[in-house]
Amino acid sequence: MKIKKLKLLFIALSIATASFTSQAQVNNKINVVATFSVLGDMTKNIGGNRINLTTLVGPNGDAHVYQPTPADAQAVAEADLLIINGVGFEGWIERLIQASNYQKQVIVATNGVNLIDMKEEDHHDEEHGEHEDDKHEEHHDDEHDKHEEDSHAGHHHGDTDPHAWHSLANGKIYVKNIANGLMAVDPSSQNIYKNNLKYYTNQINALESRIRKHVASTPKDKRKVVTPHDAFGYLSSTYGIEFFAPVGFSTESEASAKDVATLIRQIKKNNISAVFIENVSDNRLINQIARETGANVGGVLYSDALAKNGQASTYLGMVKHNISTLSSTLK
Ligand SMILES: [Zn+2]
């Protein structure tokens, strides 16, 4: 009798434990780390309340020059999934992964994106060609080589543009990669991620067609602007807006006096009427260039991070803000 009771109790306990475990698994959120605010917002939209999200580089933060903290290493160590932009944008990520001894899945959001490489003849070099015609040919080659070495030193991670999120078409690839990562790590919630992906992709599509109409109303010859660093190549190729910048793909590099002089010549030659500041860059140089050329400062563009609040605090809001800021200034 006693034994029977004990046995029953044991069975009851095991059932309770079993149901407790499965309940816990259902409620257990997965830990996801996204490297910067744009990825963080996308991940939040796809993961919803199924995930505990940590974003390493927050609003207005510059991921190019970010220095991870011990708390970041802790978050990565506890993560079930790590989502990065890749293409050298987070130059510190390999070190952080090692320091955290993270061995689980890493999703590279740019996977499958058609990446933009630095043009062989980027606009600095074109200028060299035009303005140094009268100089000795050999000297020109020296300058050209020197310039390439200089700019290479500023781009430790290759000369491919990492800012692919500025094209909404790429944004759709990003969120698909993120959703695939979440589904692989948390298959029991697959349907939730699938539905969230579908809903979010529809929102991107709707915004995409609105933006095309918006940009189409801006005169083609006016679609030329200056920004502090070369962060809008994907927006440029999608909407036919030409961007000029004193420095390249990373804010790590600094503009030389020669780069600035070249840019000032380009602004005058192309009748560029507006320069823009960025939320992540040091804007003193841009303000100086505006003063020297008489160009207007057209407002803030969100390049490498979302805003803390307001419209640009989400990915879709950021794209909306950038396009409307550009078009209203260029009209
Ligand atoms: Zn950047």
Side-chain angles (χ1 to χ4, degrees), residues 63-74:
H64 291 293
V65 295
Y66 185 68
Q67 301 204 324
T69 63
D72 295 338
Q74 186 66 31

Side-chain angles (χ1 to χ4, degrees), residues 62 64 89 162-163 165 229-231 249-251 280 303-304:
D62 183 351
H64 291 293
F89 183 59
H163 309 88
W165 59 87
H229 86 295
D230 199 356
F249 294 147
S250 175
T251 54
V280 300
S303 55
D304 295 21

Side-chain angles (χ1 to χ4, degrees), residues 177-232:
N177 286 331
I178 292 168
N180 285 340
L182 291 170
M183 286 191 267
V185 171
D186 184 20
S188 63
S189 303
Q190 266 196 29
N191 285 339
I192 296 173
Y193 301 133
K194 261 185 206 156
N195 284 337
N196 289 349
L197 175 66
K198 202 173 159 195
Y199 179 76
Y200 194 68
T201 305
N202 286 341
Q203 283 185 289
I204 296 182
N205 285 334
L207 179 59
E208 213 173 14
S209 58
R210 268 172 58 200
I211 280 178
R212 286 204 182 274
K213 280 182 207 150
H214 215 74
V215 176
S217 69
T218 308
K220 272 195 178 135
D221 61 324
K222 294 236 166 112
R223 294 184 205 164
K224 287 174 186 165
V225 295
V226 174
T227 56
H229 86 295
D230 199 356
F232 294 97

